[in-house]
Amino acid sequence: MPGAKRLLPLAVFAALAAILFAGFSLRDPHLLPSALLGKPFPDFDLPLLADARRVGRDDLVGAPRLVNVWATWCPTCLAEHGELLRIRMETGLSIVGINYKDDSAEAIAWLNRYGDPYDFNIVDSNGDLGVELGVYGAPETFLVDADGVVRHKHVGAVTATVWRDRFAPALRNLLER
Amino acid sequence: MTRALIPLVRLVLLVGGVPVLAASAIDAFGFEDAQAATRYQRLLAEFRCPKCLNESLASSGAPIAVDLRRTVRRLLDAGESDDSIRAHLQARYGDFVLYDPPLRPSTWLLWFSPLLLALVAGVVLARVVRRPAPAPTATEREQARQLMQKIQ
């Protein structure tokens, strides 16, 4: 069939175009897979935002929690703030904040102004805990189980859709085990 | 120098200047010995900044790159080997940070697809070259005969 042979270059081109389209447009190249999934939350020794007490990994275990990396300089953090408040109110899930490379006084003022969904906030002023967590931009949110193991990670705003489709099923899995 | 060469010289100066500018993004690092400083710079060039997609830790001015440079420096000062520094960053940021990705099932396609492509090209080329030329038609034979006559 000579017709089929003549169409071969077109078919190869179409296949290549499809692969490149998928590679370049469907997947956001800024989203990196977390290397931390299934691994214990790293140990740390950092002060609280509210007072000078220091906390560590032991303060995170005992119950499943969201750990949310945020800062006042991060507009997306403000965008997701309402959803975090709603999650805290409606599900009662514990949320711990990591105030990431921020000014503590400004962070406290920010929480007073927009509401505070956090059980407590850890001050990571130079970003060292961020590096331990593989954070490369705020906001990032981790679901940590009662044993302190990271079960899910989301980069970018936690929206109602992200909560419903990603975090809620992951949390349900944790609670059923 | 002719005038025509001036744009070319400008281009060379422009492109040649880029690495110099990029290197200046590295924070001042007071190393005691030159060997450690070289090692530090070589390591930074091996890692990709997680935020900027195609800049090394050495050249990026992103805040996360500053943090990661500080981390590399801390590990270096603690006497860690190159391999353990690589493993440290990879454990936190995944394969993405390594410009030289490790060989494993999920990266086979990445490593071997060029080889596969070269093989396919070789097979196609071999088939094209070996294909027997079609027998000349009567007209072609006549043309050839006439050409030969002309030469003689």
Side-chain angles (χ1 to χ4, degrees), chain B:
Chain B
M1 189 190 341
T2 62
R3 252 161 204 278
L5 277 177
I6 292 175
L8 186 71
V9 171
R10 279 200 187 130
L11 184 73
V12 168
L13 285 177
L14 191 69
V15 174
V18 168
V20 179
L21 287 176
S24 65
I26 301 184
D27 327 287
F29 42 91
F31 276 99
E32 295 284 313
D33 66 311
Q35 211 180 348
T38 323
R39 230 185 109 204
Y40 178 67
Q41 279 182 297
R42 185 175 46 69
L43 274 169
L44 291 187
E46 271 184 33
F47 295 118
R48 174 155 61 163
C49 161
K51 187 75 190 170
C52 5
L53 301 186
N54 209 4
E55 255 187 310
S56 75
L57 281 190
S59 61
S60 174
I64 182 64
V66 178
D67 291 352
L68 289 176
R69 285 200 287 269
R70 192 179 60 239
T71 306
V72 170
R73 177 69 200 265
R74 179 171 53 79
L75 296 171
L76 212 107
D77 287 346
E80 301 271 355
S81 71
D82 289 1
D83 275 342
S84 83
I85 294 176
R86 278 182 209 117
H88 186 98
L89 260 70
Q90 192 191 1
R92 283 152 186 81
Y93 287 89
D95 289 349
F96 185 90
V97 290
L98 305 176
Y99 266 123
D100 189 7
L103 190 58
R104 66 163 76 120
S106 66
T107 59
W108 281 355
L109 192 65
L110 179 70
W111 278 96
F112 297 124
S113 59
L115 201 69
L116 199 73
L117 225 62
L119 270 175
V120 170
V123 168
V124 169
L125 187 71
R127 284 184 55 168
V128 169
V129 167
R130 271 203 221 142
R131 187 180 297 157
T137 61
T139 350
E140 281 169 341
R141 233 175 288 155
E142 177 58 23
Q143 281 172 340
R145 200 185 54 77
Q146 283 173 4
L147 276 172
M148 291 300 281
Q149 264 182 350
K150 261 189 206 165
I151 294 166
Q152 285 159 2

